[in-house]
């Protein structure tokens, strides 16, 4: 019974990995620029680039995935912050520092 349970738990790991990659890619392929949304409608190109750098969106896709997974797994990122934004910051990797 213990062997069966361990096999099942180990089988979950690749499934979660594939699901997380698919979700990440869907979020990255969604229309719009998260940095431009955070910076606001009146933001200059320099401000948008600064936000993009803060969020790690200027990094290679593999690095962005690592940052995103870290923020999704960070329990603090699912709590309310001072601007009353919740889980969307963890999901879209938009957590303010």
């Amino acid at each position: 019974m213990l062997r069966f349970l361990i096999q099942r738990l180990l089988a979950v790991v690749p499934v979660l990995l594939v699901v997380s990659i698919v979700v990440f890619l869907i979020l990255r392929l969604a229309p719009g620029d998260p940095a431009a949304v955070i910076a606001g409608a009146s933001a200059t190109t320099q401000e948008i680039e600064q936000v993009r750098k803060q969020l790690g969106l200027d990094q290679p896709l593999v690095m962005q995935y690592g940052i995103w997974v870290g923020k999704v797994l960070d329990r603090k990122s699912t709590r309310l912050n001072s601007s009353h934004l919740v889980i969307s910051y963890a999901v879209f990797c938009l957590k303010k520092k």
Side-chain angles (χ1 to χ4, degrees), residues 27-42:
L27 291 173
R28 286 296 172 243
L29 293 174
D33 182 11
V37 171
I38 290 175
S42 62

Side-chain angles (χ1 to χ4, degrees), residues 79-96:
R79 296 185 183 151
L80 286 172
N81 62 18
S82 61
S83 60
H84 304 292
L85 298 170
V86 252
I87 297 177
S88 62
Y89 270 94
V91 173
F92 291 107
C93 195
L94 303 175
K95 181 179 171 187
K96 291 183 181 179

Side-chain angles (χ1 to χ4, degrees), residues 11-70:
V12 168
V13 173
V15 171
L16 289 176
L17 180 66
V18 169
V19 168
S20 72
I21 291 171
V22 169
V23 168
F24 173 77
L25 291 175
I26 288 172
L27 291 173
R28 286 296 172 243
L29 293 174
D33 182 11
V37 171
I38 290 175
S42 62
T44 65
T45 306
Q46 289 178 339
E47 291 171 337
I48 293 172
E49 285 300 320
Q50 183 180 13
V51 171
R52 191 172 284 122
K53 186 175 181 181
Q54 287 175 342
L55 298 176
L57 297 175
D58 60 338
Q59 301 291 324
L61 203 58
V62 175
M63 292 295 295
Q64 290 181 32
Y65 174 73
I67 293 168
W68 180 78
V69 167

